């Protein structure tokens, strides 16, 4: 199994810098997707739980776009799937 701790640390850094969350939790779900196309390519599957004033009052699509923008290139190079829960 791939160790995604560096990816998670980078994700947390980017999200913190961009969205200043009061709560952030990133869960590595990659082990649940062994054999899946994205997993075969070495990309990770993650669940993000986040609370941020920057996301409050926005529609879900706007929240997700802000998160994807904060993660930037990681969405193509490191992340295959990202489940998002905004608190």
């Amino acid at each position: 199994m791939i160790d995604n701790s560096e990816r998670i640390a980078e994700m947390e850094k980017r999200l913190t810098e961009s969205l200043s969350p009061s709560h952030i939790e990133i869960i590595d779900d990659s082990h649940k997707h062994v054999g899946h196309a994205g997993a075969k390519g070495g990309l990770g599957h993650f669940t993000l739980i986040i609370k941020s004033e920057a996301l409050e009052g926005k529609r879900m699509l706007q929240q997700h776009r802000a998160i994807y923008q904060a993660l930037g290139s990681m969405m193509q190079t490191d992340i295959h799937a990202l489940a998002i829960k905004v608190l």
Side-chain angles (χ1 to χ4, degrees):
M1 187 165 85
I2 294 174
D3 178 11
N4 283 313
S5 58
E6 288 183 24
R7 282 182 175 158
I8 290 171
E10 181 63 22
M11 290 167 68
E12 190 169 329
K13 176 181 173 265
R14 290 181 184 205
L15 290 164
T16 298
E17 288 173 356
S18 187
L19 302 173
S20 302
S22 58
H23 176 84
I24 186 168
E25 184 178 352
I26 301 170
I27 302 160
D28 185 357
D29 295 323
S30 300
H31 63 282
K32 297 178 186 176
H33 301 276
V34 173
H36 182 263
K40 286 180 186 176
L43 304 180
H45 291 71
F46 304 95
T47 298
L48 168 66
I49 303 168
I50 188 168
K51 180 171 177 55
S52 170
E53 284 186 22
L55 301 174
E56 288 180 14
K58 294 186 177 181
R59 293 183 179 158
M60 187 185 339
L61 182 60
Q62 293 171 314
Q63 292 172 338
H64 288 207
R65 283 182 177 159
I67 290 165
Y68 297 149
Q69 184 175 4
L71 292 170
S73 62
M74 290 190 80
M75 291 302 300
Q76 285 77 42
T77 61
D78 293 274
I79 302 167
H80 177 73
L82 181 65
I84 300 170
K85 180 175 182 182
V86 177
L87 303 177

